[in-house]
Amino acid sequence: QVQLVESGGGLVQAGGSLRLSCAASGSIIFRLNTMGWYRQAPGEQRELVARITSGGTTNYADSVRGRFTIHRDNAKNTVYLQMNSLKPEDTAVYYCALGGQPRYWGQGTQVTVSS
């Protein structure tokens, strides 16, 4: 059984920052897996925000590149998403996922950016 538990969401004003965390546990070798952050806004499809491979290679959605940073701490089985210069259009439920083709998902954490 694999569990992904996100934290760090909340309400922030435009221009502000938040840091999301996702702690993984269970029968996985965390350091060998690609980890990703996805988001889903109301009425929209879930989309990839950022991804980091086991080797540390990152990629970002065009809409967040330069504002968001993904990084991982393999010693803590945790992946982070630092979100700066937040915009109202970043409002969504953010999900952590394990695997390049995600096999496991967290429960999601709400991020709301007010204008």
Side-chain angles (χ1 to χ4, degrees):
Q1 188 76 1
V2 175
Q3 281 194 317
L4 302 175
V5 179
E6 301 104 334
S7 61
L11 173 64
V12 64
Q13 288 189 331
S17 298
L18 284 173
R19 188 178 81 156
L20 306 183
S21 301
C22 171
S25 61
S27 55
I28 56 164
I29 303 176
F30 179 82
R31 61 182 173 82
L32 298 182
N33 284 275
T34 292
M35 298 297 298
W37 284 99
Y38 294 73
R39 68 186 181 187
Q40 187 167 19
E44 303 288 335
Q45 289 194 339
R46 192 172 297 189
E47 63 175 356
L48 174 68
V49 175
R51 181 187 291 149
I52 184 166
T53 69
S54 59
T57 300
T58 58
N59 65 286
Y60 297 91
D62 289 344
S63 58
V64 307
R65 188 174 293 112
R67 299 187 297 122
F68 291 10
T69 303
I70 187 171
H71 68 279
R72 63 193 300 160
D73 184 338
N74 291 333
K76 296 182 178 179
N77 283 6
T78 300
V79 63
Y80 304 93
L81 185 68
Q82 178 66 44
M83 305 186 295
N84 298 328
S85 302
L86 282 160
K87 304 176 181 180
E89 51 263 45
D90 294 318
T91 295
V93 178
Y94 284 70
Y95 298 90
C96 171
L98 184 146
Q101 300 285 341
R103 303 189 303 277
Y104 298 97
W105 295 87
Q107 80 287 353
T109 186
Q110 177 70 46
V111 172
T112 303
V113 184
S114 63
S115 57

